[in-house]
Amino acid sequence: MPKAGRLRSTPVTSALLLALSLVGTARADVVWPALYVVASHHHFWYVIVAGFALEVLILRSQLGIATRRAILISFVANTFSATVGMLGLSLAMLGWHFAMDRIVAGTFAPLNLAASLILMLGASILLESALTRAIWKLPIRRTLRAFSAGNILSYTVVAIDLYCFGGWSRSL
């Protein structure tokens, strides 16, 4: 049995690789706002790196752990969020649109655009914190601050791109 705080890598790695292979499949013939959020994340990969570094610093200071361990935790959580999370969140947002589009006058109505960003941000933070809890048994309240800071940084840049620089009208 693995000790608490050790990474159980085989199932996690397998799930991440499977999800990574499916990410492009979700975009086949239908377009909805969540796909624009995901595509914008890909344009600003360097902001994600900055968010990753911010998470590492906060994890290290909040949990009193070594830098190498904080890097590993942030890397695994962000890899999970970028693969399984983005695919799952994109598909979950499609469910949102089935329910809400008739109420708010369409898929690309302002409420749906904002909801895509806000719900995906919140879900990303919760996914990363829950994953670190499941693998390393770390307290969610203490990891939430780190993952919130990193995700808010990247989602803010994505929102600026989508709203200020025409990202919503970009061709995928």
Side-chain angles (χ1 to χ4, degrees):
M1 175 174 238
K3 291 182 181 179
R6 299 263 185 205
L7 174 65
R8 294 179 222 137
S9 63
T10 305
V12 172
T13 305
S14 299
L16 293 175
L17 290 174
L18 175 63
L20 185 59
S21 69
L22 298 174
V23 168
T25 308
R27 301 183 197 185
D29 294 341
V30 180
V31 177
W32 62 99
L35 296 181
Y36 284 87
V37 174
V38 172
S40 192
H41 267 96
H42 291 248
H43 283 102
F44 295 102
W45 59 268
Y46 48 88
V47 175
I48 294 170
V49 172
F52 173 79
L54 183 61
E55 288 175 2
V56 167
L57 292 173
I58 296 171
L59 283 171
R60 198 180 79 191
S61 69
Q62 286 292 306
L63 301 172
I65 58 177
T67 302
R68 293 176 97 186
R69 186 166 183 220
I71 290 170
L72 176 66
I73 291 168
S74 186
F75 177 78
V76 169
N78 279 284
T79 302
F80 180 77
S81 181
T83 54
V84 175
M86 285 296 175
L87 175 64
L89 293 174
S90 294
L91 295 175
M93 289 308 298
L94 186 58
W96 163 276
H97 290 292
F98 283 131
M100 296 299 293
D101 283 359
R102 292 179 189 195
I103 297 169
V104 298
T107 301
F108 287 89
L111 176 66
N112 279 340
L113 299 179
S116 293
L117 283 165
I118 293 166
L119 292 172
M120 290 177 78
L121 167 64
S124 292
I125 293 167
L126 292 175
L127 273 173
E128 291 174 15
S129 294
L131 182 74
T132 58
R133 173 73 180 151
I135 295 173
W136 287 282
K137 308 299 183 220
L138 296 172
I140 287 180
R141 287 184 186 210
R142 295 179 82 192
T143 59
L144 272 175
R145 189 173 293 152
F147 294 125
S148 293
N151 280 287
I152 287 170
L153 174 65
S154 64
Y155 274 88
T156 298
V157 171
V158 165
I160 291 168
D161 173 55
L162 294 172
Y163 283 102
C164 300
F165 297 109
W168 289 121
S169 59
R170 206 175 280 137
S171 175
L172 293 179

